[in-house]
Amino acid sequence: MASEAASERILVQGGIVVNEDREFKADVLCENGKIVAVGENLNADGARVIDASGKYVIPGGIDTHTHCQLPFMGTVAVDDFNHGTRAAVAGGTTMLLDFVIPSKGESPLAAYEKWRAWADPKVNCDYSFHVAITWWDESVAKDMEVLSTEKGVSSYKMFLAYKGVFQLPDSDLFAVFRKIKSLGALAQVHAENGDLIVEGQKKMLEKGITGPEGHCMCRPEEVEAEATHRALMIANRANCPLYVVHVMSKGAADEVRRARQRGWRAFGEPIAAGLGVDGSHCWHSDWRHASAYVMGPPLRRDPTTKVYLMKMLATGDLQCTGTDNCTFNANQKAMGKDDFTKIPNGVNGIEDRMSIVWHNGVTAGILTPQQFVRATSSAAAKIFNLYPRKGLIAVGSDADLVVWNGSAKRTISAKTHHHAVDFNIFEGMEVTGVAEVTISRGRVVWENNELKTVQGSGCFIPRDCYGSVYAGIEQRDLLIDADEQPVQREPYSGPVWSPAVEQ
């Protein structure tokens, strides 16, 4: 296995190197899994040469949000860590940030070890873990200390939705934010008002609305926007940086933008689904088709939402792109055939994310190639403390590279994708922008439309706390503390009302 997965000596020659800050013509020499030289007319010296003439050479994509083989809603997502990472490299992504999600009462540390045992033997590219905090007491706080100091975990996700399963009350949310802040980690939230969702579900079912459209109608945009604002406000009260996952609506995106304008330390992540399709599919007459698009927060019926979110990536109001890839086959979705609340939530996206962002972003004239790199790779590397190891083409960085053909076209289909799922929400879309060669830590893993992966060859990448998102936080603490001081005044010496005196 080790020899099969060994890195090669590779010279990527003649391409246009694109980082988030500039693009330039250069060769890239990779050796022992690292980039060892970047420049024009490099000597190959026996290296394997990959011709990138007329193509872009970009940092491998980083998918900030995946759920491989997640146990959820009574079943398990069909894209395991093998299928998920194979799909990733086929689309130009070389690293996944997946989630450990303990059940209520389960030790986060024990859940982390369980997820590592699932992932390590299967991964075909590098990965790391966020850990969800689904309940709260002192034992959870102690587990977080071990996770952050010994296990390489520096980001934690909380849910404001999924009442009775994952949802935390505001008081616990504030306590968790304070703990995360003390560790120098990054807080994340799934932002929907779980209490109102439950009430909305009851209302829809009482009206006889049992199909996938009911899922969207019980989770309207304001339910996401309110929870986004609330989470951002609570995190700001703790002076804790907050990353809002899967921003799916204009209202939620606006809340992230306003928080940043106020100076709050806030970040937002749209996903491939929300940038590529809309929620009108949930009203489709074919139940199977409609159910395939059920996810939470839901895709919005407004067809202009995807352009709105893409433009906010261009302006920097939103930062990263993930997928929330959590896939279920037709028979699994059919668990909710008579009750939309039982449809497993989740869609695909890992393989198609890069093409969707390029097609609807760069080809549409909204993003530049440099902004594309920022949105698909380098911003994630910086926010999640992987930079400059990941997200950059420079000497010393990992040899995670993609030869990207910005003018090539392909048609997306479940018949040709590398996911395990039997449906693709982007089915039939012709997209411009294709990964022609994917290199993961110095190994060619995708070339000539063929996978060259080896299960278990990917590595878990530990991430330190106190990354760039904490720049200036200590100074803010000092300013807050200086402002929160008592007024020096003479003691009050006048009368004090008492019930006994009134009587």
Side-chain angles (χ1 to χ4, degrees), residues 306-424:
K306 54 184 176 288
V307 176
Y308 193 88
L309 297 176
M310 189 70 76
K311 287 181 177 179
M312 292 189 77
L313 281 172
T315 59
D317 292 305
L318 299 175
Q319 289 69 46
C320 304
T321 53
T323 59
D324 196 12
N325 192 102
C326 189
T327 53
F328 301 98
N329 281 329
N331 61 341
Q332 294 170 294
K333 290 279 188 175
M335 294 165 63
K337 64 183 179 64
D338 300 314
D339 180 350
F340 68 83
T341 68
K342 297 177 182 177
I343 301 172
N345 292 192
V347 298
N348 64 284
I350 289 178
E351 184 167 349
D352 301 315
R353 177 182 68 109
M354 302 279 280
S355 291
I356 291 293
V357 177
W358 184 273
H359 183 77
N360 285 348
V362 180
T363 304
I366 299 173
L367 302 178
T368 67
Q370 293 170 50
Q371 290 172 325
F372 169 80
V373 167
R374 183 188 71 200
T376 59
S377 183
S378 61
K382 291 179 179 180
I383 289 169
F384 293 105
N385 211 13
L386 294 160
Y387 193 86
R389 179 175 181 177
K390 306 287 188 183
L392 177 68
I393 297 178
V395 173
S397 297
D398 283 356
D400 291 348
L401 306 171
V402 179
V403 177
W404 186 263
N405 190 330
S407 58
K409 298 179 185 297
R410 68 182 179 95
T411 299
I412 298 173
S413 176
K415 295 177 181 178
T416 55
H417 70 201
H418 297 85
H419 294 274
V421 71
D422 59 6
F423 194 95
N424 192 308

Side-chain angles (χ1 to χ4, degrees), residues 454-466:
V454 177
Q455 280 197 64
S457 60
C459 290
F460 176 81
I461 306 298
R463 296 175 293 117
D464 293 334
C465 292
Y466 291 104

